[in-house]
Amino acid sequence: MLALATSYLDNRSTDTEQAFAKFYSFTKLVQQDDQKEGWTRFQLDTAKHDPNWMSPQFDGFAFRALAFIEYALASNKLDQFYDVIKTDLDGIVKQWQRNDGFEPWEELQGKHFMTLKVMSEALFKGADLASKRNDNAASTYLSTAKTIASAFPQFWNGKWIRSTLNGKNSGNNEGAGAKTSLQNYIDISVILGLNYNQNTTDAFQVTSPQAQATFWALVDSFKNNAHPVPDPSKRLSGNWGLNKLTCSPDGLLLNPAIGRYPEDIYDGTGYEYPGNPDNHVSAGFWFLATNAMAEFLYKSVVQYQALGSITINQDNLAFWKFVGLSKTGVLSRKDNPSDFQQALNFLVKQGDGFLRRTRQHVPQSGLMAEQFHFYSGQQMSTADLTWSYASVVTAGHARNQALAFAQPASGSCQAQKAKPSCPIPGQIKDSSKRDCGFAGITVEQCVDKGCCWTPILRGKGNVPWCYYP
């Protein structure tokens, strides 16, 4: 709904107005339960989806409040929606100190950067609204937001912002277990939390050296396998082979595809290393993660334009080398206007490189699954994931804002052949597949032949895994 509210800023759609009217009625009902339990999964009749689902999750209060705030302000309907906004803000005040909530992947309990980031953002915005409405709760919202923001430096380990403190793996996911064992907590959820942040007074935001160092840690992980699991041979996707393609067929930059976190193993069905034993698949890249990297860069442009200067130090130097600059120092719009503008143009170019990467793996129909394969690029796992589409909306909106101040820096690369265009999950019948492989063929050998790869569960007969597009 937050992405829908963002889209309303651009299109003023009556469909969005109707959707928020329905969402308001639904929210009034579910707030009776989720305020007490941090429950975020409900059926359309407001019944709980699954009593054994990973609960509590406390980011839901904040995201819902932010969605209603953004839409209410854009539509001038604050009076209509303030009651549900206030209920969620009060819920944040009551629950933010708890350490038993789950992160957005519903795998680890602990204290999570993204959850706290969106909580503080909702409270900062809510405090402003409450003050304008003479709501006495305004001071509580503001003081709590500041207290939450003061905790962000705890997540910085000197190299990157960790996604979780005191993490506990509460399921059978071996990838999540490896994350808690290694204690790196390099995770795209940190970038997601930073992207939702518009308050520029707290320690970490998209232009902070620590945030940019975290951005680089993710790139380094999925491009260079810089932070592998202890035994890389256990993980099928350890080489992230798709990212060897760095240039599109038309000679334009392709930035690395990004997953949730380097130790991830979840492919939609399997939770164990080296991957699902029946189909030899492990975690792929995520559309929402790759698009979030683009959004981060576009939002940096807008924030730098407001700040008027760029600071490059040892914490974020690797990030800026990736972007296109290689020296520490301060670039000022006033004192170094051409260098400052060049830096903004580089940021847009790199953002486009991430969106271009995801576009490579989306058919003309626009359908987007949850993940795309770590070598073949074929879509996999849950089909039609709402968050994948939402990430396109928010990244596109951020790009439009960035283009008011910068244009993509010029430059081409040596064109590389694209991976074969293959059906998304469920779009081709097994009986229609023409065998393109041989006994024992690997995914790398199959894709390099220009063919498609879809492992089949045992017991489904003589269905080729490697087949012609």
Side-chain angles (χ1 to χ4, degrees), residues 64 102 108 255:
R64 189 167 55 209
F102 283 86
L108 298 181
N255 270 331

Side-chain angles (χ1 to χ4, degrees), residues 361-369 378-384 389 421-433 452-454 456 460 467-469:
H361 308 290
V362 177
Q364 289 186 348
S365 64
L367 294 176
M368 298 175 72
Q378 286 179 242
Q379 294 195 21
M380 53 184 275
S381 189
T382 303
D384 275 333
Y389 298 117
S421 177
C422 295
I424 66 173
Q427 280 200 325
I428 183 173
K429 295 180 179 179
D430 290 343
S431 59
S432 301
K433 295 176 180 177
C452 301
W453 175 270
T454 304
I456 303 297
K460 291 197 67 174
Y467 55 94
Y468 288 98

Side-chain angles (χ1 to χ4, degrees), residues 34-36 58 61-62 85-97 119 123 141:
D34 68 356
Q35 291 295 317
K36 295 179 287 186
F58 296 117
F61 305 162
I85 294 171
K86 181 175 175 60
T87 299
D88 278 333
L89 296 176
D90 290 342
I92 295 171
V93 171
K94 293 176 182 177
Q95 306 284 14
W96 78 268
Q97 297 185 71
M119 281 181 165
L123 287 173
Y141 298 155

Side-chain angles (χ1 to χ4, degrees), residues 269-299:
T269 57
Y271 295 91
E272 299 176 350
Y273 289 120
N276 191 307
D278 283 332
N279 60 20
H280 300 293
V281 175
S282 60
F285 301 112
W286 287 52
F287 286 107
L288 70 91
T290 309
N291 292 337
M293 300 291 272
E295 183 175 346
F296 179 99
L297 296 173
Y298 298 140
K299 289 190 170 181

Side-chain angles (χ1 to χ4, degrees), residues 393-413:
V393 172
T394 55
H397 179 75
R399 186 178 191 273
N400 289 338
Q401 290 183 312
L403 290 179
F405 309 112
Q407 294 296 316
S410 60
S412 61
C413 52

Side-chain angles (χ1 to χ4, degrees), residues 235-244 274 279-282 373-378 419-420 436-438 440-455 465-466:
R235 194 181 191 290
L236 291 176
S237 51
N239 64 358
W240 302 109
L242 184 66
N243 282 338
K244 293 178 181 178
N279 60 20
H280 300 293
V281 175
S282 60
H373 193 273
F374 60 85
Y375 190 87
S376 71
Q378 286 179 242
K419 298 288 186 180
C436 182
F438 50 83
I441 192 171
T442 66
V443 59
E444 291 84 1
Q445 292 170 327
C446 176
V447 174
D448 290 348
K449 286 184 65 178
C451 294
C452 301
W453 175 270
T454 304
W465 290 18
C466 182

